[in-house]
Amino acid sequence: MSETATIAATAEPKNYLTNRHTIQSWLFTVDHKRIAILYLISLTVFFLLGGAAAALFRLDLMTPQADLLQSETYNKLFTMHGIVMIFFFLVPSIPAVMGNFLVPVMIGAKDVAFPRLNLLSWYVFMAGGLIALGAIISGGVDTGWTFYTPYSSMYANSHVILAVAGAFIAGFSSIMTALNFIVTIQKMRAPGLTWFRLPLFIWAMYATSLVVILGTPVVAITLVMIFIERFFQFGLFDPALGGDPVLFQHLFWFYSHPAVYIMILPSMGVISEIVSCFSRRRLYGYTFVAFSSLAIAVIGFFVWGHHMFVSSQSAYAGLIFSFLTFFVAIPTAIKILNWIMTMYKGSISFDTPMLYAYGFLGLFTIGGLTGLFLSTMATDIHLHDTYFVVAHFHYVMVGGGVMGFLGALHFWWPKMTGRMYPEGWAKFAAIVIFIGFNLTFFPQFQLGYHGMPRRYHTYAEEFQILHVMSTAGASVLGAGYLIMAAYLGWSLFKGKRASANPWDARGLEWETTSPPPTENFLSTPTVTQEAYAYDKPSVTHVPPEEKRV
Amino acid sequence: MSEHHVMPIRVYLTIIAILMALTVATVWVAFLDFGYLNTVIAVGIAVIKALLVVMYFMHLKYAAPITRLFAGAGAVFFVILIAITLSDYRSRDWFPFPEPWEQAHEAPASH
Amino acid sequence: MSSHAHAHVAHHFESAEQQRQSAQLGMWIFLVTEVMFFGGLFAAYVVYRSLYPEAWVVGSHLLSIGLGGFNTAVLLASSLTMALAVHAAQTDKRNATAMWIVLTMVLGFVFLGVKVVEYAGKFEHHLVPGAHFHVDPMAELAKLEAAGVHVGQHLRHAFETANPSHVQLFYSLYFAMTGMHAVHMIIGAGLMIWLLANTLKGRYSSAYYNPVEVTGLYWHFVDIVWIFLFPMLYLIGRH
Amino acid sequence: MKSVFNILPEQASTVASHVDAIYLFLIAISVVFTLLAAGLVIVFGVKFRRRPDGPAPEKPHEDSRLEMAAGAFLLVLLLVLFGWGAKVYFQNTRPPADAMEILVTGKQWMWKLQHPNGRREINTLHIPVGKPVQLTMTSEDVIHSFFIPAFRVKQDVLPGRYTRLWFQATKTGRYRLFCTEYCGTEHSMMGGWVNVMTAADYERWLSGEVAGAAQETPVQAGERLFTQLGCQTCHNAGSGALGPNLAGVFGHTVKLADGSEVIADEEYLRESILNPHAKLVAGFAPVMPVFKGIINEDQLLQLIAYIKSLSGASN
């Protein structure tokens, strides 16, 4: 701290971190970069909470019997893990932290279109999070994060209303952020920054925001319907009145399937930036990648029924949902091809962000391919609600989503904090996380095909060996995360000073100081070339004397 | 400066007159028997009323193309949500199912 | 200070025009989320109505077309006054702006008042879903006939076959949909008070009237929801 | 029981090998594509690693032919997968007409099963090998799901509705039975075994209990209920009967009072018992009492079994 203070006291121009130091200057800030930091801190806490829950039940699953936890506690823990990780970590992760920090900088704007709304979104997020935590502290929720009726609406005796309220409120926060991004990207791009000069991260954020805008309100009203049913005793899904619990599943998955794209599209945007930068080559098939983000966002709304093949949904509806699901696979697969082809004849260096990109490519490929097992109707009948599904979505959401998030964190860490992290430790942690992840989740594919149902507290003894492997892997994974937390924390105070453009990357965010000043640029930049112009030298908008070495 | 479109008050008055007339019409039509068309007519009139409000009171007719695109997207996804959900319910008792699996009639594979 | 256009351009915008377009687009995107929000309820309505059409006929006959129609007219009128408020702001007529805003708000409260009367009636007649819900379609049919309503074959059939549980489902949706609409009305009324205060302080002019305009968009949207709710809830199977 | 390290678990039903064939095909695709992707990034990583004196990379050509070709190839591959998966699914959707029917009621946290001759059991299902078996399932409370991994079959079980599942076992033995839809506190305890026996053993098992106490079949229980509840006073073949004659109704089209037609399946019978006025048969007055809250799910299944037997639909 004292060092930061002395730096600020010198002739250095003030940046967004150092221009004011009071608590109020953080809690009432409208600077998108500071809001991003607020989100980063809150999300880290939620990630630790969700991870702790997972660690506990993973430990309990070492043996087939119930030894560590009671059934009720076990059910509450996996519910908490799901709610916290989905609604309070994965959905906001890259948009709220990286998007908030980068969208205005990347398009050369001073801030997002509605800065006060942006701050409000953080408060709303925190309110939702605290209410959900309240539900957990006051006794917990045992419905699973999917809140299926009629269990959630009529049978569960836990704090469903509070949990539903928390998720509902958090939904508003993502809507506010998404709305802000669309308007910002639409209306506030710097002169010369045409649509096809935009970084692909911006395209990904735009597509993600569309999904949030169109999907989140539907889950919001669906959660309100659960609330109405529990609180006012109105039977909206009550079978005794002729209500249909499967209708809840339709409404729920109308959001929650596209929500998978909310979690993965931003990561795809990040990977595009990283692969391009560390291959020193413009992304292969820029236009295709840009439009495929939008295509995935739109097609993603037509496939929700593939979560319901055994729900008693009409076989014909299932047929159509299965058919359309295969179509989402095509743009996704071609994107992987694009990233690989970008490396072809590139000049590849293996800095930490690139290691995460490699991890993403491997894990997300497996996650995507195992999705085919679940969109094929005959195999889904067998695999539905087994550990195969658990493994599949962890490969997509952690292998894809979280790997992208960590890649982004390392790629833009120098920009956000003005410090470099220790490269050796970072590489080590990336490799540990990759290995630990595979050890944890690969055995679960096998468990699933052999019939191990998900959400089981106790299980048949023949499954034990694979569960033990999974738990062992989880401890490696956990160790990887802890190493990362340690060296990132260390780097905040002791890390080497970062230059404006430590990776020699292209893009407006690299043409301002690290960390950027409050309004991002000293004067509004003008863009004269396309994105990823790695064949040309970096265009400098920052006078040399302001650059740190 | 088409964005700053100031409409003459006369337009607003015409629109409100049409809206009120359509309200009376929809009530009147509800008491006549057109079979299943009653629903179509009721929703049709509501759509016309909504379009009038959107186009004139909300100035969408004079708004930027991107604004109109978003308004349109809202309507389209609203319809998608309802139509696809309903398609499940309408096709649940469709007959006939495909023939049962021929192997069912074969001799058991083993004992 | 209100006369300077530049005074209203926030620091991060380049021009008043950019700011205005952003506000407008932002509000429209918000309205898209509102469309999808109500979409969930409409989907439930459409599905259950397709499953239980006769219960929907019975349910709607127990609602008052008079009150519903009156409220429709009130809301449409409030949309007009709101549009006129925006018009007055666009043409620098501050007093007129304030007057139209007040009128819009009053019409909004009239709507809510009528809604309270309707809800109270449903409460009295045990039509609020829950343990006390009670409806006897045959008794209701007899009441209709006693009141001299022409009961055609379809209508009689609907009353004879409707399952009271399904009628309860209709009322669950009726209260969920109109309740959610009323919540939006109350928020709208709150926005009107805020607009009025700022209008009286002279914050708005032809150079800067974004809040009046975007609040208007919201108000019109709430009106549109009712334009659909009225026929869908009150007018089914009246023939 | 096969080891969990085998690629495939035990196959014990006619459908299992068909599902496994698709599964193995999918694994082959996954291995090929994973190795391809991993191989390419590793080869490129080595071959094009950054060298201090290396040439500056060229800008890639904006050329969509590779993407188009990849897309077309994937489209064909995925359509094959879709078609194959859908074919096996649909083939297995509708039970064969001669399937033996077993009634299933799920409740927190047990499976209640009843055989055609009336024998009941909980959490263990005895079935004969080589004979198609159809489960008609409902739930007393929340959604459950009936899953037999060795048979590769699964179906959600819902309150207020009937769902069906059918299979034909190919091997005698004991196989796991699970509930796979999360249903509350003891969800993981809701399951047991499927005992596949030879036909002779099954017959012996079935009659094992009948020898002791008099055992009602579901049809007999349904018939007794039919009499107890006074159903036959209206539902008889007499000319002035107040209700429709139920002989030969099941599985056939019924004309309703409003002019529409329905097929008298389990759902229709259920609704007509619980709430007779909803879909009134043409030519009859709405005079039947409502049985909702008077009979439970098990009794309802028995009544339906009896009505089915009147059409010769039951076995």
Side-chain angles (χ1 to χ4, degrees):
Chain A
M1 268 318 221
S2 61
E3 198 191 15
T4 326
T6 37
I7 299 292
T10 63
E12 291 291 346
K14 288 194 171 181
N15 62 51
Y16 84 101
L17 289 170
T18 54
N19 63 348
R20 286 168 72 200
H21 288 283
T22 57
I23 297 282
Q24 291 98 307
S25 74
W26 280 90
L27 291 182
F28 298 109
T29 182
V30 287
D31 184 341
H32 64 103
K33 299 182 288 301
R34 285 195 162 197
I35 294 169
I37 300 296
L38 291 176
Y39 265 116
L40 179 61
I41 296 165
S42 347
L43 290 182
T44 307
V45 173
F46 281 114
F47 184 77
L48 287 174
L49 272 175
L56 266 178
F57 65 68
R58 206 54 257 171
L59 209 56
D60 187 68
L61 286 169
M62 291 264 279
T63 63
Q65 311 81 27
D67 24 35
L68 187 62
L69 308 167
Q70 296 194 314
S71 295
E72 238 179 271
T73 322
Y74 175 86
N75 295 343
K76 286 173 178 170
L77 279 174
F78 79 67
T79 304
M80 166 177 164
H81 174 70
I83 292 177
V84 168
M85 287 302 202
I86 299 276
F87 294 113
F88 298 100
F89 179 73
L90 282 167
V91 166
S93 64
I94 297 181
V97 180
M98 297 302 159
N100 252 333
F101 195 95
L102 292 169
V103 166
V105 190
M106 279 183 163
I107 66 170
K110 292 185 185 126
D111 205 326
V112 292
F114 310 111
R116 279 181 296 175
L117 192 70
N118 202 16
L119 178 64
L120 181 64
S121 89
W122 182 73
Y123 277 100
V124 167
F125 174 79
M126 290 310 284
L130 291 177
I131 289 173
L133 283 185
I136 288 157
I137 291 163
S138 61
V141 197
D142 70 338
T143 60
W145 79 274
T146 48
F147 300 111
Y148 267 21
T149 54
Y151 185 70
S152 64
S153 55
M154 298 169 70
Y155 288 88
N157 292 316
S158 48
H159 295 268
V160 181
I161 289 185
L162 272 182
V164 160
F168 173 82
I169 292 170
F172 278 93
S173 140
S174 39
I175 288 176
M176 290 176 199
T177 305
L179 189 154
N180 237 327
F181 285 171
I182 293 181
V183 177
T184 308
I185 298 170
Q186 200 73 50
K187 297 286 178 197
M188 300 179 71
R189 298 189 307 277
L193 192 50
T194 57
W195 283 97
F196 293 99
R197 284 178 177 173
L198 284 173
L200 287 162
F201 180 76
I202 297 291
W203 279 90
M205 290 315 306
Y206 195 94
T208 309
S209 302
L210 286 180
V211 181
V212 171
I213 291 295
L214 293 167
T216 312
V218 179
V219 81
I221 189 66
T222 311
L223 296 176
V224 169
M225 284 157 95
I226 298 256
F227 174 84
I228 290 173
E229 186 152 355
R230 278 189 85 92
F231 193 80
F232 294 110
Q233 317 291 320
F234 284 14
L236 286 164
F237 302 111
D238 180 357
L241 296 181
D244 183 11
V246 177
L247 177 62
F248 170 84
Q249 297 177 21
H250 274 297
L251 298 177
F252 179 81
W253 289 114
F254 180 87
Y255 163 79
S256 296
H257 187 72
V260 174
Y261 304 113
I262 297 178
M263 301 175 221
I264 197 67
L265 279 172
S267 270
M268 292 176 165
V270 168
I271 298 304
S272 298
E273 300 293 318
I274 294 177
V275 167
S276 183
C277 172
F278 294 97
S279 305
R280 308 225 57 74
R281 198 152 177 264
R282 176 178 161 86
L283 202 84
Y284 182 89
Y286 171 97
T287 326
F288 178 87
V289 175
F291 280 120
S292 70
S293 290
L294 294 179
I296 291 170
V298 172
I299 305 173
F301 276 101
F302 296 84
V303 304
W304 77 80
H306 66 220
H307 294 264
M308 299 164 62
F309 287 155
V310 299
S311 71
S312 80
Q313 166 185 251
S314 142
Y316 299 95
L319 193 69
I320 291 167
F321 282 126
S322 167
F323 184 74
L324 293 171
T325 303
F326 283 108
F327 278 87
V328 187
I330 296 175
T332 313
I334 299 180
K335 271 193 174 184
I336 294 179
L337 177 78
N338 285 72
W339 292 316
I340 295 175
M341 286 305 292
T342 307
M343 296 177 192
Y344 178 68
K345 288 190 175 172
S347 167
I348 302 169
S349 69
F350 293 94
D351 299 279
T352 310
M354 190 60 166
L355 290 190
Y356 280 106
Y358 261 64
F360 173 96
L361 282 174
L363 302 181
F364 183 68
T365 302
I366 295 174
L369 284 165
T370 50
L372 297 179
F373 291 65
L374 302 170
S375 38
T376 306
M377 294 175 90
T379 38
D380 180 72
I381 299 303
H382 178 62
L383 293 170
H384 179 77
D385 268 346
T386 66
Y387 264 65
F388 192 94
V389 177
V390 176
H392 158 70
F393 71 68
H394 279 90
Y395 265 86
V396 173
M397 291 181 198
V398 183
V402 177
M403 283 302 200
F405 179 73
L406 297 182
L409 197 62
H410 286 84
F411 189 48
W412 284 292
W413 186 262
K415 184 56 63 183
M416 295 172 83
T417 63
R419 302 276 184 164
M420 299 303 290
Y421 46 80
E423 185 67 24
W425 279 105
K427 280 183 175 154
F428 175 66
I431 291 165
V432 170
I433 288 173
F434 180 80
I435 293 172
F437 177 84
N438 279 300
L439 286 177
T440 311
F441 291 103
F442 204 83
Q444 298 188 0
F445 286 121
Q446 185 68 0
L447 270 178
Y449 202 72
H450 278 254
M452 168 80 206
R454 66 194 281 207
R455 297 174 168 179
Y456 261 31
H457 177 213
T458 57
Y459 55 87
E461 63 274 4
E462 65 263 27
F463 297 132
Q464 183 173 11
I465 177 75
L466 290 170
H467 273 296
V468 170
M469 287 165 67
S470 187
T471 303
S475 51
V476 177
L477 182 59
Y481 287 138
L482 290 180
I483 297 170
M484 188 184 67
Y487 71 73
L488 285 182
W490 177 88
S491 85
L492 280 180
F493 306 106
K494 304 275 184 184
K496 206 167 57 132
R497 291 276 172 197
S499 67
N501 189 357
W503 317 116
D504 191 19
R506 301 294 177 272
L508 286 177
E509 79 269 31
W510 303 110
E511 295 176 13
T512 181
T513 52
S514 296
T518 296
E519 289 196 337
N520 300 338
F521 300 93
L522 297 178
S523 59
T524 304
T526 306
V527 180
T528 52
Q529 62 185 19
E530 57 191 8
Y532 314 116
Y534 283 102
D535 50 337
K536 302 190 182 82
S538 166
V539 182
T540 301
H541 293 278
V542 184
E545 63 271 17
E546 287 176 15
K547 269 193 176 176
R548 290 205 192 94
V549 183
Chain B
M1 293 302 271
S2 67
E3 288 284 313
H4 281 278
H5 194 86
V6 180
M7 272 197 282
I9 287 186
R10 190 170 40 78
V11 176
Y12 292 125
L13 296 179
T14 315
I15 297 298
I16 191 71
I18 300 175
L19 287 171
M20 291 295 184
L22 284 173
T23 305
V24 175
T26 192
V27 173
W28 176 65
V29 164
F31 286 93
L32 305 178
D33 187 359
F34 295 109
Y36 73 93
L37 281 178
N38 273 89
T39 310
V40 177
I41 294 169
V43 173
I45 291 178
V47 168
I48 295 171
K49 287 166 75 179
L51 277 176
L52 287 173
V53 174
V54 165
M55 287 299 169
Y56 294 96
F57 285 178
M58 296 168 87
H59 303 165
L60 191 67
K61 204 175 169 202
Y62 310 96
I66 184 69
T67 310
R68 282 187 279 175
L69 188 69
F70 268 97
V76 168
F77 277 81
F78 177 86
V79 171
I80 286 171
L81 166 63
I82 292 174
I84 300 188
T85 305
L86 192 63
S87 75
D88 168 23
Y89 289 84
R90 303 310 299 189
S91 63
R92 274 188 189 176
D93 49 1
W94 274 4
F95 276 84
F97 271 106
E99 279 302 296
W101 186 19
E102 55 283 354
Q103 286 228 342
H105 304 286
E106 285 171 15
S110 71
H111 272 271
Chain C
M1 63 187 201
S2 58
S3 55
H4 294 290
H6 286 294
H8 302 290
V9 180
H11 73 99
H12 56 291
F13 285 113
E14 299 289 333
S15 68
E17 182 59 20
Q18 187 190 35
Q19 180 174 2
R20 182 174 174 274
Q21 288 187 5
S22 299
Q24 208 187 36
L25 180 62
M27 193 57 184
W28 274 100
I29 294 172
F30 175 72
L31 294 184
V32 170
T33 70
E34 287 278 31
V35 168
M36 298 310 290
F37 185 76
F38 279 98
L41 285 171
F42 277 76
Y45 169 96
V46 169
V47 164
Y48 286 146
R49 187 182 166 191
S50 85
L51 292 176
Y52 314 120
E54 65 290 332
W56 256 235
V57 171
V58 174
S60 83
H61 269 81
L62 306 183
L63 295 173
S64 160
I65 287 195
L67 291 178
F70 173 74
N71 253 354
T72 309
V74 167
L75 262 197
L76 288 174
S78 80
S79 254
L80 173 71
T81 54
M82 189 67 234
L84 293 175
V86 176
H87 187 272
Q90 280 175 330
T91 49
D92 279 318
K93 293 175 188 139
R94 187 185 303 167
N95 289 340
T97 310
M99 182 194 78
W100 290 123
I101 289 173
V102 169
L103 210 52
T104 306
M105 191 164 59
V106 167
L107 288 168
F109 280 121
V110 169
F111 177 93
L112 287 170
V114 172
K115 212 69 227 158
V116 168
V117 172
E118 280 192 272
Y119 279 9
K122 300 293 161 280
F123 194 79
E124 244 172 61
H125 292 102
H126 300 286
L127 289 176
V128 180
H132 299 289
F133 184 87
H134 177 77
V135 65
D136 180 354
M138 295 309 282
E140 296 299 337
L141 180 63
K143 271 193 228 164
L144 273 187
E145 284 176 327
V149 175
H150 167 71
V151 178
Q153 189 200 340
H154 293 310
L155 202 52
R156 179 177 304 279
H157 175 71
F159 274 85
E160 281 171 358
T161 58
N163 181 341
S165 299
H166 300 162
V167 179
Q168 184 172 347
L169 214 49
F170 171 88
Y171 273 96
S172 292
L173 279 169
Y174 165 81
F175 279 102
M177 294 171 104
T178 56
M180 206 48 74
H181 178 259
V183 167
H184 280 79
M185 290 289 297
I186 293 168
I187 294 171
L191 290 174
M192 287 302 144
I193 294 171
W194 169 72
L195 268 191
L196 181 65
N198 279 338
T199 306
L200 294 177
K201 281 183 202 155
R203 296 254 167 95
Y204 308 133
S205 66
S206 60
Y208 176 75
Y209 57 91
N210 295 348
V212 187
E213 191 180 23
V214 298
T215 311
L217 290 177
Y218 173 85
W219 189 267
H220 295 307
F221 167 79
V222 178
D223 180 23
I224 289 173
V225 173
W226 186 260
I227 286 178
F228 283 95
L229 288 183
F230 173 59
M232 286 171 59
L233 295 172
Y234 289 77
L235 297 180
I236 304 157
R238 289 282 174 174
H239 49 278
Chain D
M1 193 139 306
K2 282 197 173 180
S3 151
V4 285
F5 291 105
N6 282 69
I7 291 182
L8 298 175
E10 187 98 64
Q11 294 177 338
S13 77
T14 46
V15 74
S17 61
H18 292 247
V19 174
D20 285 350
I22 303 180
Y23 182 66
L24 291 175
F25 179 61
L26 279 161
I27 287 186
I29 293 177
S30 304
V31 169
V32 168
F33 279 102
T34 309
L35 289 182
L36 188 70
L40 284 177
V41 293
I42 290 169
V43 168
F44 290 171
V46 173
K47 191 152 180 252
F48 304 115
R49 69 182 179 278
R50 192 168 299 172
R51 296 177 177 84
D53 53 347
E58 282 170 29
K59 189 180 147 182
H61 299 289
E62 278 285 338
D63 176 1
S64 54
R65 273 179 304 179
L66 180 63
E67 285 141 344
M68 291 300 205
F73 172 71
L74 285 171
L75 185 67
V76 173
L77 182 69
L78 296 180
L79 283 179
V80 167
L81 259 179
F82 162 73
W84 190 3
K87 177 166 170 273
V88 172
Y89 170 84
F90 265 81
Q91 279 173 341
N92 206 36
T93 297
R94 195 187 189 192
D98 60 343
M100 172 181 115
E101 190 181 29
I102 292 175
L103 308 180
V104 178
T105 315
K107 62 171 284 195
Q108 287 173 328
W109 294 277
M110 63 171 77
W111 294 107
K112 299 193 288 182
L113 308 140
Q114 192 175 20
H115 291 262
N117 82 332
R119 178 146 189 187
R120 292 166 176 281
E121 50 185 340
I122 285 176
N123 287 347
T124 304
L125 174 62
H126 289 79
I127 54 162
V129 73
K131 199 165 186 275
V133 174
Q134 182 202 317
L135 308 180
T136 301
M137 310 186 290
T138 189
S139 164
E140 284 182 13
D141 36 52
V142 300
I143 301 177
H144 304 282
S145 192
F146 199 94
F147 177 36
I148 309 170
F151 292 180
R152 314 283 191 277
V153 293
K154 182 184 289 131
Q155 174 62 52
D156 279 8
V157 177
L158 289 102
R161 286 182 47 201
Y162 295 111
T163 51
R164 269 171 220 90
L165 180 67
W166 85 271
F167 44 77
Q168 180 174 337
T170 54
K171 278 203 298 197
T172 55
R174 286 176 93 221
Y175 307 104
R176 296 260 184 208
L177 156 66
F178 293 118
C179 170
T180 45
E181 183 63 67
Y182 174 69
C183 59
T185 313
E186 299 298 344
H187 168 55
S188 59
M189 304 299 278
M190 184 170 171
W193 295 93
V194 177
N195 251 343
V196 181
M197 320 164 93
T198 62
D201 283 350
Y202 177 69
E203 285 307 323
R204 208 166 304 129
W205 175 83
L206 265 187
S207 54
E209 212 175 77
V210 178
Q215 182 80 35
E216 267 186 329
T217 67
V219 173
Q220 287 164 347
E223 188 173 5
R224 180 175 49 75
L225 281 168
F226 199 76
T227 315
Q228 270 175 13
L229 297 167
C231 307
Q232 84 289 351
T233 49
C234 298
H235 293 286
N236 57 47
S239 57
L242 289 174
N245 182 9
L246 298 179
V249 163
F250 182 79
H252 294 93
T253 310
V254 174
K255 199 160 167 49
L256 300 183
D258 61 0
S260 63
E261 291 183 342
V262 296
I263 291 176
D265 56 2
E266 286 99 340
E267 300 290 348
Y268 172 73
L269 294 180
R270 176 194 177 85
E271 185 179 19
S272 296
I273 295 168
L274 293 179
N275 178 50
H277 305 167
K279 296 207 175 79
L280 198 64
V281 177
F284 294 94
V287 292
M288 178 169 155
V290 171
F291 282 92
K292 191 175 164 180
I294 292 171
I295 58 175
N296 64 31
E297 292 290 349
D298 292 351
Q299 291 172 321
L300 202 51
L301 276 167
Q302 290 163 346
L303 269 175
I304 292 171
Y306 171 64
I307 296 170
K308 282 160 95 172
S309 77
L310 296 176
S311 309
S314 184
N315 25 81

